[in-house]
Amino acid sequence: MRRDATRGGWLALAAVLFLALLPVCVAQAHEVRPALIQITETGPGAYDVVWKQPMVGDMTIHMAPHLSSGAIDKAPTGETRSPGFLVRTWRISGGPPLDGQTVSIEGLTQTVTDVLMRVTTADGKVVNDVIRPADPMRKLALAGPAGLKIPAYVTLGIEHILTGADHLMFVLGLLLLIGPNWRLVKAVSAFTVAHSITLALAALGFVHFPSAIIEALVALSIVFVACELVPAPGRPESLTHKHPWLIAFTFGLLHGLAFAGALAEVGLPKGAEPQALLLFNVGVEIGQLLFIGVAIGAIWLLRRARAWLTVDTTVFARVAPAYVIGCFAAYWLIERIFAV
């Protein structure tokens, strides 16, 4: 009885915290997809520039790429719209050398979007970097070492998971369902293995599913976890409670396909696909573990704070977490079904 009451206390406080963060979670229901600027040098003073920017429906936020030479300040050579992206291209000839120029992204500081930058020189050297809202400019130093910058894709993976409210809500649902014990370790490990498999298959082009359908199924997985959190006295123990790792693995396959959207749609760096994929996945795992660690710490603090409560929160705690998570998930599910 004491154990149930204690669990009820921190679940109640956790639910209050969810309600306080409702506007933030709704605003971040969609994953933050990166933009891409790709510059390919074809000869002395000649290069092609591709700008690929995420879209939501027919709307785009204000972002525009610039080179310090002003070479791409003119109207683009071509402009196309693909599902979820606006693509603009410039073909420059007789321009200044790329080396030493500065790439800047107008409007980036007002967003939470990262920009993948990929520069290929005429002699085949490839330079990859990530431009972030906190530092929207990069100076091109093409004479330096080529290759993939390891911190870039690791950091991108961390930021991707920590800004994906839906994925975090699923992980939090598992934590509330299982509790901070070794069964949670098994479930999270299964989730990791599953999404690593589908992330690799999708990002490398072996499998392809419409992103809108995958995002809707991810929301459905959170609805499922929320339903499992609903207390039902006398109900036989479900498969989720008996083998949570199996459910985590199954839905992890879906979440991996959604993770791949951040890379597959903008493209992996040519010649460095496995490295970029591995580093991004490592970043996702670091972000996930950071979130779990913070969540467990918050739960411990809330349990300590329960001693100061003067009201009985048992009934509220039994239903609030399931309904709060379920409401978020149902909202995302309906929104994404209409997107499909």
Side-chain angles (χ1 to χ4, degrees):
M1 180 66 70
R2 175 61 181 171
R3 182 180 177 184
D4 291 342
T6 302
R7 183 172 183 267
W10 66 257
L11 284 176
L13 290 171
V16 172
L17 180 61
F18 290 153
L19 290 172
L21 294 176
L22 175 61
V24 176
C25 290
V26 171
Q28 294 185 352
H30 289 289
E31 296 176 79
V32 180
R33 295 174 296 169
L36 169 71
I37 181 168
Q38 180 172 284
I39 306 174
T40 304
E41 188 179 40
T42 57
Y47 34 88
D48 296 332
V49 180
V50 177
W51 169 249
K52 195 172 184 181
Q53 177 181 344
M55 298 176 59
V56 178
D58 294 327
M59 297 182 297
T60 60
I61 57 178
H62 174 67
M63 288 197 300
H66 297 282
L67 286 172
S68 55
S69 66
I72 59 174
D73 290 346
K74 58 185 178 181
T77 306
E79 179 174 314
T80 60
R81 294 172 183 262
S82 59
F85 281 92
L86 169 67
V87 181
R88 289 175 174 157
T89 58
W90 290 264
R91 177 159 290 180
I92 309 301
S93 60
L98 278 177
D99 195 18
Q101 289 198 54
T102 298
V103 178
S104 61
I105 309 298
E106 179 185 339
L108 186 63
T109 54
Q110 283 76 51
T111 73
V112 292
T113 301
D114 291 331
V115 177
L116 302 180
M117 183 181 75
R118 183 181 312 144
V119 182
T120 304
T121 64
D123 59 2
K125 182 184 296 182
V126 179
V127 177
N128 297 282
D129 206 344
V130 179
I131 305 176
R132 297 187 175 83
D135 184 15
M137 303 176 70
R138 284 292 184 278
K139 186 173 182 178
L140 299 179
L142 303 181
L148 186 69
K149 291 188 176 181
I150 291 179
Y153 280 91
V154 172
T155 305
L156 182 63
I158 294 173
E159 292 179 349
H160 182 69
I161 183 66
L162 293 182
T163 54
D166 44 3
H167 298 297
L168 294 181
M169 194 71 76
F170 178 82
V171 173
L172 183 59
L174 288 179
L175 175 59
L176 294 177
L177 186 65
I178 303 170
N181 53 48
W182 283 108
R183 298 177 74 221
L184 177 65
V185 174
K186 290 174 62 177
V188 170
S189 298
F191 183 71
T192 296
V193 171
H195 76 62
S196 297
I197 292 172
T198 48
L199 172 59
L201 291 175
L204 294 175
F206 292 104
V207 297
H208 176 73
F209 292 94
S211 60
I213 294 178
I214 295 301
E215 289 180 357
L217 291 175
V218 166
L220 184 61
S221 72
I222 307 170
V223 172
F224 177 85
V225 171
C227 291
E228 291 295 301
L229 284 172
V230 175
R235 182 177 63 181
E237 191 176 29
S238 67
L239 180 63
T240 304
H241 290 85
K242 289 181 180 179
H243 305 291
W245 67 268
L246 182 59
I247 301 302
F249 181 86
T250 302
F251 287 124
L253 297 173
L254 290 174
H255 286 249
L257 293 173
F259 290 150
L263 291 179
E265 293 187 11
V266 298
L268 290 166
K270 190 174 183 180
E273 293 91 343
Q275 300 98 309
L277 184 58
L278 173 62
L279 295 174
F280 179 81
N281 199 49
V282 168
V284 168
E285 294 317 306
I286 292 174
Q288 183 174 283
L289 292 175
L290 285 173
F291 173 75
I292 292 174
V294 170
I296 291 176
I299 287 171
W300 182 83
L301 290 174
L302 290 173
R303 291 180 65 178
R304 299 283 293 181
R306 184 178 178 272
W308 298 93
L309 295 179
T310 58
V311 295
D312 184 7
T313 60
T314 303
V315 175
F316 176 75
R318 288 183 180 276
V319 298
Y323 280 95
V324 170
I325 292 177
C327 285
F328 283 137
Y331 171 82
W332 295 332
L333 178 60
I334 294 171
E335 180 187 44
R336 294 171 185 184
I337 286 175
F338 278 111
V340 174

